Amino acid sequence: MTAVDHNLLNDLQARGLIAQMTGDDQLYTWLQESRTLYCGFDPTADSLHIGSLVPLLTLRRFQQAGHKPLALVGGATGLIGDPSFKAQERKLNTPDIVASWVEKLKAQVSRFIDFDCGESSATVVNNLDWIGSVSVLDFLRDVGKHFSINNMIQKESVKQRIDREGDGISFTEFTYMILQSYDFAELYKHHNCTLQIGGSDQWGNITGGTDLTRRLHGAQVFGLTLPLVTKSDGTKFGKTESGTIWLDPAKTSPYAFYQFWLNSADADVYKFLRYFTFLSVGEIDRIEAEDKGASGRPQAQGVLAKEVTRLIHGEEGLYAAERITSSMFSGELSDLSESDLQQLALDGLPSSRLTKEDLAKPLTSLLADCGMVKAGREVKDALGRNAVLINGEAKGPEDNMKTAEVFAAEKALFGRFLLVKLGKKKNHLFELA
RNA sequence: GCAGGGGUUCCCGAGUGGCCAAAGGGAUCAGACUGUAAAUCUGACGCGCAAGCUUCGGUGGUUCGAAUCCACCCCCCUGCACCA
């Protein structure tokens, strides 16, 4: 059996990963032996995004410390919708869609935890398996009776919805907490699961579960929440203008993923290293100290991008991301071979083929249509500032209507590749058809 | 059902007959400075290369002219009433 790392909670603490926990000291003692814990992920999309990364990685930290993780995919709760700290009632997804998402999340979650490591091997469970078969009357009599509406409406997580002038909260969403509480009680009963972890927005749901388990089974179980990831500038973590950063490489390429982390602000990057990597706290402190002492560009963002990309997309994904990054930001296009250019597109550099019709469009339309920018106006602005480079050559507003000319085969690398750079960070590879 | 309040460009939020593609803030994009950072400053920010075109819940109407006025409709909120 795996040796239990008695220092786990201290490490989590040092990483800033503990927002709240039930039974403070008792949990320390409790975790001196190998325990079973769970964390839930609701299928609200066909992929998880980096918002779920902290709980996911924490599950892994527990497993590495010798505990047994259960990853719960919310096939049932996903049909209801968690109202916690949500401003508005959400629209329901159809059961077949949720079911298909459940399958995707199961596969995704499975990559982070080990299913074959003896006693602490992980298990994936789906709460539809037990909630789906409970009758309404049984549920109301056996579970509902343990919940006091008076207490439920006091929960911070739904308070704003209840007090709200605008949208209120439906009975459906209000019930969510009871379902999640029931999950914990069930997992205790059938898997001897005694700890639930989750984002700090889950506190109300988690304590609901510890209470219910005590009432139904007379057992003490624990809850621990992880901090909400915030950015120093106050904007939402995990979103860029081009959208959410997904874990699915088909939705967010490893290159885009790598770039996301590489662009972390100095004020956030050391915190992110503690949250999102398995580097030791000591190692991270050392990096921080070195960066503080050195002038110029810190090494932290590079380390962060490398570690997290490897964690999510593996060595290959990381290699692809680094390849593209070094080609695109070194500025030396001549270093690239023909096969290099071909590979870049496969590696996830945005790319497209240029047809004759494309060459008839103004640059503004062309670059907007291929997704580089949202509207032609941005291209116009960039052209006016010499911020559009085609194969390294700056283009101006007068070139806007000369698409065929600037994308002429004679100017293309190897007669067919044209690399467009807009601003500092946007690159797109065109291949002449 | 009755009474009252409200629906404005990605978000918040001004605007109550022409000077409105619509203040201000946020977000976002680009430039300068840098380090593919932050802060700051500059520009852009409905669509369009442009001429121009399309917007202020919906549909009609009044008017030379409507986001602004009128009618009807839809949706949301708050009270009150009512019924299973």
Side-chain angles (χ1 to χ4, degrees):
Chain A
M1 101 156 244
T2 336
V4 174
D5 176 2
H6 293 177
N7 212 30
L8 175 65
L9 284 182
N10 290 325
D11 182 60
L12 293 181
Q13 189 96 59
R15 289 177 183 276
L17 278 174
I18 299 180
Q20 296 153 294
M21 56 201 250
T22 62
D24 298 320
D25 296 346
Q26 292 175 67
L27 185 56
Y28 276 89
T29 315
W30 187 249
L31 291 175
Q32 297 305 300
E33 285 178 44
S34 178
R35 305 293 181 184
T36 299
L37 74 150
Y38 97 94
C39 179
F41 302 92
D42 271 358
T44 54
D46 61 357
S47 168
L48 294 175
H49 51 82
I50 55 176
S52 302
L53 211 44
V54 168
L56 209 46
L57 295 178
T58 305
L59 218 45
R60 182 174 167 130
R61 293 181 203 281
F62 271 89
Q63 185 171 40
Q64 288 183 349
H67 303 285
K68 179 183 173 68
L70 304 176
L72 181 150
V73 177
T77 37
L79 291 168
I80 302 303
D82 184 0
S84 300
F85 298 101
K86 300 285 190 312
Q88 292 188 320
E89 182 89 8
R90 287 191 290 176
K91 58 178 190 292
L92 299 173
N93 295 303
T94 62
D96 53 318
I97 288 190
V98 172
S100 75
W101 290 349
V102 164
E103 291 311 311
K104 295 206 171 185
L105 294 206
K106 272 185 180 173
Q108 214 165 42
V109 161
S110 301
R111 292 212 311 277
F112 293 89
I113 42 186
D114 192 342
F115 289 87
D116 186 24
C117 58
E119 289 191 27
S120 54
S121 292
T123 306
V124 175
V125 294
N126 181 353
N127 56 14
L128 190 59
D129 293 344
W130 55 86
I131 294 176
S133 56
V134 177
S135 84
V136 184
L137 287 178
D138 286 345
F139 185 74
L140 292 177
R141 288 178 63 94
D142 300 340
V143 181
K145 206 60 174 166
H146 296 290
F147 287 83
S148 145
I149 291 284
N150 309 50
N151 289 339
M152 288 173 74
I153 60 175
Q154 295 301 323
K155 300 269 181 185
E156 208 51 53
S157 51
V158 293
K159 217 164 191 172
Q160 45 183 338
R161 286 282 289 280
I162 288 172
D163 297 344
R164 198 178 164 85
E165 292 257 326
D167 301 309
I169 180 169
S170 68
F171 179 72
T172 304
E173 285 196 7
F174 187 61
T175 309
Y176 183 93
M177 194 187 109
I178 301 183
L179 290 186
Q180 186 168 327
S181 300
Y182 184 55
D183 284 344
F184 202 174
E186 279 292 299
L187 291 174
Y188 168 75
K189 189 172 159 193
H190 297 290
H191 295 268
N192 195 28
C193 174
T194 51
L195 171 65
Q196 180 182 178
I197 65 171
S200 57
D201 58 337
Q202 294 299 305
W203 181 248
N205 294 332
I206 292 175
T207 52
T210 58
D211 287 349
L212 182 65
T213 307
R214 177 160 30 78
R215 291 185 178 139
L216 285 180
H217 305 299
Q220 180 174 23
V221 292
F222 301 87
L224 185 156
T225 63
L226 310 162
L228 185 73
V229 183
T230 56
K231 292 205 295 178
S232 56
D233 63 6
T235 58
K236 196 167 160 54
F237 170 77
K239 297 264 184 179
T240 66
E241 181 55 19
S242 40
T244 305
I245 307 296
W246 300 96
L247 301 189
D248 183 347
K251 290 169 79 83
T252 298
S253 74
Y255 165 66
F257 187 86
Y258 180 90
Q259 285 288 323
F260 170 81
W261 296 103
L262 195 62
N263 278 297
S264 302
D266 293 4
D268 297 320
V269 71
Y270 305 100
K271 177 171 78 177
F272 289 175
L273 280 169
R274 283 188 279 271
Y275 282 2
F276 297 105
T277 74
F278 285 84
L279 298 177
S280 71
V281 174
E283 175 76 359
I284 295 166
D285 288 345
R286 205 209 74 217
I287 292 171
E288 185 165 6
E290 274 182 26
D291 282 347
K292 283 234 167 68
S295 60
R297 188 178 187 166
Q299 57 180 313
Q301 280 86 349
V303 175
L304 177 69
K306 192 183 187 93
E307 291 295 322
V308 185
T309 305
R310 179 162 45 214
L311 218 44
I312 310 305
H313 298 299
E315 287 295 346
E316 287 193 15
L318 172 61
Y319 177 66
E322 288 183 324
R323 271 175 55 78
I324 300 176
T325 296
S326 66
S327 323
M328 293 309 111
F329 292 92
S330 71
E332 267 315 310
L333 295 178
S334 51
D335 292 349
L336 296 168
S337 70
E338 187 167 7
S339 64
D340 276 345
L341 285 161
Q342 272 176 322
Q343 186 59 38
L344 288 180
L346 297 176
D347 283 349
L349 180 68
S351 60
S352 45
R353 298 180 73 85
L354 275 185
T355 62
K356 287 204 169 48
E357 300 81 75
D358 290 329
L359 294 176
K361 296 177 187 170
L363 288 177
T364 44
S365 310
L366 177 63
L367 301 187
D369 291 349
C370 76
M372 270 188 106
V373 292
K374 300 181 86 179
R377 195 164 289 272
E378 291 185 24
V379 179
K380 188 181 159 194
D381 181 49
L383 283 170
R385 294 160 186 274
N386 285 319
V388 177
L389 304 185
I390 299 182
N391 281 347
E393 192 182 326
K395 298 298 170 192
E398 69 282 3
D399 295 308
N400 188 36
M401 299 307 288
K402 299 180 186 168
T403 305
E405 201 175 304
V406 298
F407 281 107
E410 310 84 72
K411 300 196 174 175
L413 299 165
F414 305 102
R416 58 192 177 119
F417 291 111
L418 290 133
L419 189 69
V420 176
K421 189 181 187 81
L422 194 158
K424 281 175 193 159
K425 300 178 190 174
K426 291 177 181 163
N427 292 287
H428 195 97
L429 182 67
F430 287 99
E431 184 178 353
L432 296 172

